[in-house]
Amino acid sequence: MLPELSKIKGIHPGAILKRELKSRGLKSKELANLLDEHAQTISSIVNEKRGINPSLSIKLGRQFGAEQDYFMLLQASYDVEKTIEAKQSNTPDLSKIRAALFWDTDFKKIDWQKKQKAVIKRIFECGNDVEINEIISFYGILVVKNALKNSNNDFLPAFKHNLVRFKIINK
């Protein structure tokens, strides 16, 4: 029997699905067949690599005798929890930034708030699109523009190119 939503808010729906499959003695491939879904889809959800969409929530609700929006509400709760955690973080998503960019310091000990101007400048000098977008997302475009407002770097052409490409300055 599926737990009450209020007791499991913020948990990935795949964790609940995995527990339910185990308690019923089902494999994810068997569930996929019952739902007329791809086995990879169910496996990805059970392994918390993918979320639930409305169509799948309806199918799962029917299969497990729950409300049709049960898994969708669980997914929404999980997404909200992850967003709150990300906003409260004092560091950007480090999986999107190469440690090698900060070769001259201990990457794991960077104070991302205290050193924000230096971090922003380094990313715009040597970073790729993913890294630049992560820094813009983390600090916000206004902070980035302010940090780079009077920056000049004539020896790395990528710096000026990135400032123009990401609309930090006009040509």
Side-chain angles (χ1 to χ4, degrees), residues 45 57 70 78 81 166:
I45 292 168
S57 180
Y70 179 89
Y78 174 79
E81 190 68 32
F166 287 89

Side-chain angles (χ1 to χ4, degrees), residues 56-96:
L56 187 54
S57 180
I58 293 167
K59 290 178 180 181
L60 288 168
R62 286 181 187 148
Q63 181 64 38
F64 293 117
E67 295 290 324
Q68 293 179 353
D69 62 352
Y70 179 89
F71 285 94
M72 199 67 235
L73 291 170
L74 190 55
Q75 181 68 50
S77 174
Y78 174 79
D79 292 345
V80 167
E81 190 68 32
K82 285 295 164 199
T83 301
I84 289 168
E85 285 175 13
K87 295 272 185 217
Q88 292 174 343
S89 174
N90 289 327
T91 61
D93 182 349
L94 299 182
S95 69
K96 294 181 179 178

Side-chain angles (χ1 to χ4, degrees), residues 121 123-129 132 136 148 151-171:
K121 188 172 181 196
I123 294 290
F124 272 80
E125 287 173 340
C126 307
N128 60 35
D129 288 1
I132 292 170
I136 291 171
L148 297 173
S151 291
N152 191 10
N153 185 330
D154 294 334
F155 60 91
L156 289 175
F159 180 71
K160 179 127 184 170
H161 177 73
N162 286 334
L163 292 179
V164 172
R165 271 186 344 115
F166 287 89
K167 298 179 171 74
I168 305 302
I169 64 169
N170 297 325
K171 272 191 171 184

